[in-house]
Structures are given as structure tokens and as C-alpha cells.
Amino acid sequence: MQYEIIPVTGFQQNCTLLWCDRTKDAAVIDPGGDLEKILTRVSDLNLKLTQIWLTHGHIDHAGATGELAAKLSLPIIGPHKDDEFWIDGLAQQSQMFGFPSAQPFKPTRWLNDGDNVELGDECFQVLHCPGHTPGHVVFFHEKSRLAQVGDVLFQGSIGRTDFPKGNHEDLIHSIREKLFPLGDDIQFIPGHGPMSTFGQERKSNPFCSDPNFG
Ligand SMILES: [Zn+2]
Ligand SMILES: [Zn+2]
């Protein structure tokens, strides 16, 4: 399994291409915008884009999903159904944040905690991590010790919880009870900013560190 991060939109959202080395099947996580930039990388890397995966329904993560799915006839996998109101409200979100108008869409498959998603020979686990949004999911590839966590956790920070149906306690619970137990060595790609590890955040993140670390 390999990956490449492609920051998109004015929010520099970490859209991520993941692919299976053997089959070259690729998934794009969170195509929030800048489709040409994403598709250029897909063709430069000689990949076969077969799926769209969504961590949650915010415009900077999901904005170009409808257009991309229609253009290449791709299935849309995720997020959890509790984010349906965000996806149905993408038109309002694009106005509010000054994004190009988003083509509406319905996910092909809603995800639940404990689900698996397959990509070529590779398998990813789905963790439902509410708090930033109620239907936020995380994709975890155990074999390469890598997680794509969207806006749940950042290097030195955590996701906002002041949006409708956001919940700070849920978010802290998601981070401490679902992500950190995966292991200190796990590298993660956050929705924005640089990568880090769960161990690093468990040790020093001012919002969610573990006082008993070490
Ligand atoms: Zn978000
Ligand atoms: Zn975001």
C-alpha cells in the first residue's frame, strides 16, 4: 500500500490518494476540491481510481465528491449515516464558506464502526469517531500502521466541536478510547497540517494527552 497527500481547497485539506501496489487500484479520501490537481496525480502515478472514501461531510472534504463520482462512475464509501445532514447541506456549506457550488450526491455505502473497506489486495478498518461531526469515520491500515483521521485529531490540536451536533466529550472519547489504543507507533494523516503519531499526541497534545503517559 502506498499513499500521497494532495492538499486541496483554500483550507489546504489533506486529500489522500491510497493505492494497492500490485493492482494499482486507488481510492481517494476526501476530494474536497481541485479535481484537476487530484486527477493529474492519478494519471502521473498510473493509477486506476476506483473508489471515493469520505471521513465526514464538511465542504472542504466532500465538496468535489459528486462531480468526481459522476465523471468516473465511482462508488462513494462513507462516512457514517449520522453525517447525512452535512452532505444534504453541501449547497449551503459552499455558500457559507465561499466554495464553488457542490454537485449533490448520495453515498453508495454508509459505514459503521468495525466495517472493513477493501482496495485491491489491501484491507482498511473503519472506526466511527464522532465529536467533530456525528458521522465522522477514520480509516486504519493495520499492516502499514497508518490511519487517515480527517478532522478528529491534528498535530498538537483537535477538531472543532462548535458546529451543529459537534460534541467535545464525544471527540475526546473517540481520540482516547478508539485511536490511541491502536498503538503509539501509528502514523496518522490529519485533515489539515503535518502528519504525526498517536504516541506523540498522547504525550504532548494539550487537548487530549494522557497524563499517565510513559
Ligand atoms: Zn471538518
Ligand atoms: Zn477539514
Side-chain angles (χ1 to χ4, degrees):
M1 204 276 291
Q2 290 187 61
Y3 66 92
E4 183 171 299
I5 297 168
I6 307 168
V8 297
T9 81
F11 289 25
Q12 291 292 289
Q13 189 272 119
N14 286 332
C15 171
T16 306
L17 273 179
L18 300 162
W19 65 95
C20 166
D21 289 316
R22 191 182 66 81
T23 66
K24 304 291 179 198
D25 283 324
V28 59
I29 302 182
D30 290 354
D34 300 335
L35 270 193
E36 269 177 39
K37 189 175 172 185
I38 298 169
L39 292 174
T40 299
R41 289 311 294 154
V42 170
S43 73
D44 287 353
L45 293 159
N46 287 312
L47 303 175
K48 191 168 54 186
L49 190 57
T50 58
Q51 306 176 46
I52 299 169
W53 297 353
L54 296 179
T55 62
H56 65 299
H58 281 163
I59 186 79
D60 54 324
H61 295 254
T65 301
E67 188 185 344
L68 179 60
K71 190 171 180 164
L72 300 181
S73 299
L74 301 179
I76 301 163
I77 316 291
H80 183 282
K81 199 167 194 301
D82 287 352
D83 262 23
E84 191 169 26
F85 76 103
W86 277 118
I87 290 170
D88 289 345
L90 277 170
Q92 293 94 298
Q93 289 192 61
S94 51
Q95 282 182 352
M96 198 187 310
F97 294 104
F99 273 60
S101 67
Q103 191 170 323
F105 66 90
K106 294 274 179 205
T108 316
R109 176 184 167 197
W110 296 110
L111 292 173
N112 289 303
D113 195 58
D115 279 354
N116 288 323
V117 286
E118 316 271 341
L119 178 65
D121 297 338
E122 307 295 339
C123 183
F124 293 73
Q125 292 170 33
V126 173
L127 296 102
H128 181 206
C129 292
H132 174 66
T133 66
H136 200 301
V137 297
V138 162
F139 299 97
F140 175 51
H141 191 246
E142 184 165 23
K143 210 164 74 181
S144 54
R145 316 295 289 158
L146 178 81
Q148 220 287 5
V149 307
D151 287 350
V152 173
L153 179 66
F154 305 107
Q155 184 196 74
S157 187
I158 58 173
R160 287 173 61 172
T161 52
D162 56 337
F163 293 117
K165 298 191 193 178
N167 184 303
H168 181 77
E169 274 160 35
D170 285 354
L171 184 71
I172 298 298
H173 183 268
S174 292
I175 294 168
R176 287 196 174 142
E177 307 301 326
K178 290 197 165 165
L179 298 185
F180 286 172
L182 297 173
D184 286 340
D185 64 313
I186 307 294
Q187 282 202 293
F188 71 89
I189 303 167
H192 307 263
M195 290 179 67
S196 179
T197 64
F198 290 157
Q200 176 64 36
E201 301 312 310
R202 199 161 77 84
K203 191 164 86 180
S204 64
N205 189 310
F207 301 93
C208 58
S209 62
D210 179 353
N212 303 313
F213 185 88

